[in-house]
Amino acid sequence: SQQGEEDPQALSIQEGENATMNCSYKTSINNLQWYRQNSGRGLVHLILIRSNEREKHSGRLRVTLDTSKKSSSLLITASRAADTASYFCATAQGAQKLVFGQGTRLTINP
Amino acid sequence: GAVVSQHPSWVICKSGTSVKIECRSLDFQATTMFWYRQFPKQSLMLMATSNEGSKATYEQGVEKDKFLINHASLTLSTLTVTSAHPEDSSFYICSARDPLVDTQYFGPGTRLTVL
């Protein structure tokens, strides 16, 4: 079953702008991960944030986690056309099982 | 990052036939692999968890006799869709968990079309 809800479902911005996507979940987690999926392709792991972390950076990506609100956000700064993809959050339940959010379809317009 | 491969990348078959999809972790040993299916413009739905050397654990609503999973080695899991029907047409994605870094790496997916 799907646990996460992502907001917005679709986002279209101009190249160079920042893109922010949000994810909410319902149960306690060990960690939360963000993935990118280009159309018709597999998932690429972007970043993992553990439940005891509040913020994490990786290049142009910034992820925050608020366990009290059961929410996370993914910020992509200085967006590029190549960032066009669907972005999914996934929470780890128990030892290993990942539960995915519905995803945000991001379109970067040149 | 770690590499997970899937074969084939796409397959078209006739209704009633069986299709086998392979998932391999190429540069790490995966004691656990996962199989997902994804319908167009939707998220990934976990079908089953595959543990090396033991029976797979299926999610609620997934028919274990229809979706046969075998995880015979630390680098290979297979999903066989038996007696495929058009409603089985979907994008099937596997992932393999690297226990050393506690991260799942995903294969490129297999698009199955059943005529």
Side-chain angles (χ1 to χ4, degrees), chain A residues 32-33 35 41 47 56 66 69 74-78 80-81 86 100 104 108:
Chain A
L32 185 144
Q33 303 180 49
Y35 289 85
R41 309 291 287 273
I47 197 165
K56 204 162 184 178
D66 187 334
K69 295 181 180 179
L74 170 67
L75 168 68
I76 303 175
T77 60
R80 305 168 182 170
S86 290
F100 282 84
T104 295
I108 308 299

Side-chain angles (χ1 to χ4, degrees), chain A residues 3-4 23-34 49-54 64-72 89-95 97-99:
Chain A
Q3 159 160 251
C23 166
S24 61
Y25 56 93
K26 297 176 183 175
T27 63
S28 297
I29 61 173
N30 297 326
N31 61 62
L32 185 144
Q33 303 180 49
W34 285 90
I49 186 166
R50 301 192 185 282
S51 59
N52 61 352
E53 297 176 307
R54 293 297 169 259
T64 63
L65 178 64
D66 187 334
T67 53
S68 66
K69 295 181 180 179
K70 291 186 168 57
S71 67
S72 175
C89 67
T91 53
Q93 295 182 354
K97 195 163 80 170
L98 286 181
V99 178

Side-chain angles (χ1 to χ4, degrees), chain A residues 1-9 23-24 86-89 99-105, chain B residues 38 41-45:
Chain A
S1 62
Q2 297 298 316
Q3 159 160 251
E5 293 186 2
E6 295 190 54
D7 166 49
Q9 291 187 358
C23 166
S24 61
S86 290
Y87 291 81
F88 296 93
C89 67
V99 178
F100 282 84
Q102 295 299 319
T104 295
R105 292 191 305 278
Chain B
Q38 183 181 33
K41 295 187 179 181
Q42 293 189 24
S43 188
L44 280 73
M45 295 292 293

Side-chain angles (χ1 to χ4, degrees), chain B residues 3-88:
Chain B
V3 178
V4 174
S5 70
Q6 273 184 249
H7 177 80
S9 55
W10 60 270
V11 56
I12 302 172
C13 69
K14 293 182 179 179
S15 187
T17 60
S18 294
V19 175
K20 179 185 283 189
I21 303 170
E22 292 185 350
C23 178
R24 293 180 186 272
S25 57
L26 299 184
D27 51 4
F28 65 96
Q29 293 186 330
T31 53
T32 306
M33 292 185 173
F34 303 86
W35 287 95
Y36 300 81
R37 67 186 299 181
Q38 183 181 33
F39 292 107
K41 295 187 179 181
Q42 293 189 24
S43 188
L44 280 73
M45 295 292 293
L46 179 65
M47 298 174 66
T49 302
S50 170
N51 295 298
E52 187 266 338
S54 65
K55 291 184 179 180
T57 302
Y58 290 82
E59 294 298 301
Q60 191 173 8
V62 178
E63 298 176 58
K64 62 180 181 180
D65 294 330
K66 181 168 185 61
F67 298 100
L68 301 179
I69 291 172
N70 183 274
H71 193 160
S73 76
L74 287 171
T75 59
L76 173 64
S77 176
T78 61
L79 168 68
T80 301
V81 183
T82 63
S83 187
H85 290 282
E87 57 266 30
D88 298 324

